[in-house]
Amino acid sequence: LEVDPDEVWLKRRARQRGAAQYTRFSRAGARFVVSEGGHRFHVNLSDYLDTWLFLDHRKTRALFAAEAAGKRVLNLFAYTGAFSVYAAAAGARSTTTVDLSKTYLEIAAENLELNGLAGPQHRQVRADATTWLTDRADRSMFDLCILDPPTFSNSSAMSDTFDVQRDHPALVEATLDRMVPGGVLWFSTNRRKFKPA
């Protein structure tokens, strides 16, 4: 590919067992801005296993954005908020970006600002999405939602483990309870042998 070896970042994803979790493994700070679909996003190639932007969802983000104009959009397990950026840029009335990670939500806010989309109508919520959905203190309702949970999570900030195969029926039901009649829910998973319940 004629890429200078100093510009190549090699990472290996391995199955985590028990309480093991991926953590920050570098402070090299290979952080810069990339463009996708007319939008700009912060990425970090060095410090974490993931780069802050999942490329496999490029087409999905564009399709999702095509439905977002005028909608109240919910982005669950939002990571760094790329779906929120796409929706906001497409004219969403509001976006709510929910993730358990403070770092990822800070990047989500930076991504909105980077695209000139920051404002009170685009909020970030630090919470376990499964708990937040049933929170009686915030009963906001939504027209459009992207639900892209991890395959598995054992985060110490969660009260229990999460397994998408086991937990998706209850998660989908809880999400639908936060949708207006006629609202649209997009569900995504990377689990190879996933079977809808």
Side-chain angles (χ1 to χ4, degrees), residues 16-90:
Q16 300 295 293
R17 303 275 183 204
Q21 298 180 36
Y22 291 115
T23 58
R24 184 177 191 145
F25 53 81
S26 172
R27 295 205 178 270
R31 177 178 173 164
F32 55 94
V33 173
V34 298
S35 295
E36 177 193 280
H39 313 300
R40 299 170 68 207
F41 299 95
H42 292 279
V43 296
N44 184 325
L45 299 183
S46 61
D47 298 356
Y48 303 91
L49 179 67
D50 295 316
T51 64
W52 296 348
L53 185 65
F54 291 127
L55 299 181
D56 58 325
H57 269 314
R58 282 179 292 186
K59 289 182 181 178
T60 310
R61 285 189 281 267
L63 292 168
F64 184 79
E67 295 189 18
K71 305 278 178 65
R72 293 164 294 179
V73 174
L74 176 60
N75 183 356
L76 294 171
F77 301 95
Y79 192 40
T80 58
F83 277 97
S84 299
V85 168
Y86 267 79

Side-chain angles (χ1 to χ4, degrees), residues 27 39 47 92 95 108 119 124-125 130 135 153-154:
R27 295 205 178 270
H39 313 300
D47 298 356
T95 62
Q124 294 81 49
V125 177
T130 58
D135 182 0
S153 178
N154 61 355

Side-chain angles (χ1 to χ4, degrees), residues 95-113:
T95 62
T96 300
T97 304
V98 181
D99 200 276
L100 191 54
S101 168
K102 179 182 178 211
T103 300
Y104 293 159
L105 285 178
E106 287 172 354
I107 302 306
E110 289 177 17
N111 283 335
L112 284 162
E113 187 173 341

Side-chain angles (χ1 to χ4, degrees), residues 2 27 29 31 33 37 48 60 85 89 93 128-129 133 138 152 167 169 186 191 195-196:
E2 298 181 5
R27 295 205 178 270
R31 177 178 173 164
V33 173
Y48 303 91
T60 310
V85 168
R93 184 187 335 172
D128 172 0
L133 285 167
D138 182 345
F152 179 82
D167 299 327
W186 289 52
R191 185 181 175 112
K195 293 183 180 176

